[in-house]
Amino acid sequence: LSLFATSSDPGASTDARLSANIFMVNQLNSGGGSQYGIAAGIPGAAGVHGTRASGVAVARNAFDDEEAGLTLAHELGHFLGLFHTSESEGQGFDPLGDTLECPDWAAADPENCFDKHNLMFWAPVEDQRADVSLAQAGVLRANPLVK
């Protein structure tokens, strides 16, 4: 996103630079459709500011505060190195061995997926939660942005 390139360097120290740029916007459009949030990369560029790879954006128009917070946590999860536990068609999965997966027979209805309560599940569901597995927690802790 060109929006990410508008981020500025937060300071000369390593501690200041190791930060994430977070943008709360009214709406995100991608390829003719709208989306809830986007991360500049998996993982994002830790400590790099002012580029198209420098941030996370969340659309505020479709959410209440709790949903916006969960979406922000999800997008930060991507920026810190986490993939979706399952992809929407039930065919792609993260590389971690301890996350639940959505079988292809359940993918048509996200509410039937085994991984629907994981922070990195691909879709919002009823009774949304932000569970993470031990391996996911390890990925998060290994990122230099996590202090």
Side-chain angles (χ1 to χ4, degrees):
L1 279 178
S2 57
L3 173 66
F4 297 150
T6 68
S7 64
S8 60
D9 193 328
S13 75
T14 301
D15 195 48
R17 292 187 123 189
L18 285 176
S19 57
N21 300 300
I22 299 170
F23 297 88
M24 300 300 285
V25 298
N26 288 328
Q27 186 173 345
L28 286 170
N29 293 316
S30 175
S34 64
Q35 59 190 85
Y36 301 124
I38 189 167
I42 304 174
V48 178
H49 303 275
T51 74
R52 293 176 62 94
S54 301
V56 168
V58 173
R60 286 282 298 135
N61 64 326
F63 301 114
D64 62 27
D65 289 343
E66 182 178 352
E67 293 165 331
L70 285 168
T71 301
L72 177 57
H74 175 94
E75 296 306 330
L76 283 170
H78 284 314
F79 199 76
L80 296 173
L82 296 177
F83 291 88
H84 289 154
T85 50
S86 299
E87 292 299 337
S88 61
E89 70 285 345
Q91 299 295 317
F93 309 102
D94 76 5
L96 304 174
D98 71 342
T99 55
L100 296 174
E101 297 176 351
C102 184
D104 57 359
W105 59 263
D109 182 2
E111 293 293 337
N112 292 326
C113 291
F114 303 136
D115 54 338
K116 71 179 181 179
H117 291 301
N118 191 283
L119 173 65
M120 299 312 297
F121 188 61
W122 67 273
V125 294
E126 196 173 316
D127 188 29
Q128 189 77 34
R129 295 195 325 236
D131 299 348
V132 293
S133 72
L134 289 175
Q136 286 174 312
V139 169
L140 296 174
R141 281 192 298 273
N143 189 290
L145 291 175
V146 177
K147 302 173 190 174

